[in-house]
Amino acid sequence: MTTMTMEQRLDELGRQTEALEARARAGGSEPGPRMQRHIDALRRHEARARAVTGDARYEAGGKLAQLEARLDVADRSLAADAAAGRATYTVAVEEELRSWDAYLERVQASAAVRAGRARERAEAAIREVRRQRLEVGRQLQQLQAGPETGWRRQKIRVTAAREHLEHTADDLTTDLR
């Protein structure tokens, strides 16, 4: 088994981001605003990870883990957006929510090493993202419990909650530089 260097891992994650963007552009159209936001967030994570790779190995490892987890979120989000039926959509959003949980665990670990007010602000922001994640879960439960005939209307609510979660997470990662 070979071990990748931090730089090699970053290069690979960059290629995965490019592949995700290419999948989002399938059919010759630009990615929608939600997917573009994911791609932009991935590029910000990658830039932060590249900025610390020479400085602190622990910090660089944490940034890489966040980037990997955020890439998984974006990938799962794209799958949810592409899901055609109610059952497929439900499973895809559940997988997306699990990937958000993993991402937030990574961000929480990074926030835990901060000191004083910076840590308090980070933890408050993480709590808000978790609250938004729970709201998506509630909206998804309502979709699952509702009648088959009304699922598309409820899907709009779930998608709006997912979008709000993404905005809140973007604010968090911008604040945690």
Side-chain angles (χ1 to χ4, degrees):
M1 176 182 349
T2 62
T3 303
M4 294 176 82
T5 66
M6 296 266 187
E7 193 64 37
Q8 289 170 324
R9 284 178 65 196
L10 276 168
D11 290 344
E12 175 58 27
L13 291 167
R15 284 188 292 277
Q16 289 177 20
T17 299
E18 290 170 9
L20 177 75
E21 184 173 18
R23 286 193 352 251
R25 291 180 188 276
S29 64
E30 290 296 310
R34 289 185 51 252
M35 186 48 56
Q36 189 60 55
R37 193 170 38 258
H38 281 299
I39 292 165
D40 292 344
L42 289 167
R43 290 198 172 116
R44 283 191 307 272
H45 276 288
E46 182 180 353
R48 282 197 307 269
R50 284 188 189 283
V52 298
T53 53
D55 295 342
R57 198 157 182 78
Y58 175 78
E59 186 177 353
K63 299 289 186 200
L64 277 171
Q66 286 180 29
L67 173 57
E68 289 169 332
R70 190 66 169 87
L71 180 61
D72 190 50
V73 168
D75 191 46
R76 306 283 181 179
S77 180
L78 183 61
D81 289 346
R86 178 179 167 167
T88 306
Y89 179 77
T90 300
V91 168
V93 173
E94 287 172 344
E95 290 175 2
E96 181 184 355
L97 291 176
R98 279 192 289 280
S99 65
W100 274 114
D101 291 340
Y103 172 73
L104 289 170
E105 287 174 21
R106 302 289 189 197
V107 174
Q108 183 76 48
S110 175
V113 298
R114 293 173 176 258
R117 304 234 351 112
R119 180 177 180 166
E120 291 171 14
R121 283 193 310 274
E123 288 177 348
I126 292 167
R127 278 192 302 278
E128 179 58 22
V129 176
R130 288 186 192 279
R131 191 183 71 69
Q132 293 300 324
R133 184 262 181 246
L134 291 172
E135 178 58 27
V136 175
R138 280 191 290 279
Q139 292 292 332
L140 187 61
Q141 286 176 340
Q142 290 177 3
L143 182 146
Q144 291 170 313
E148 180 71 32
T149 57
W151 88 270
R152 291 192 190 280
R153 278 190 307 272
Q154 187 59 36
K155 178 183 177 186
I156 293 168
R157 291 184 190 102
V158 172
T159 301
R162 289 172 55 219
E163 188 166 336
H164 192 69
L165 169 60
E166 293 159 8
H167 280 292
T168 306
D170 287 347
D171 292 344
L172 167 68
T173 55
T174 300
D175 292 344
L176 290 180
R177 291 177 200 189

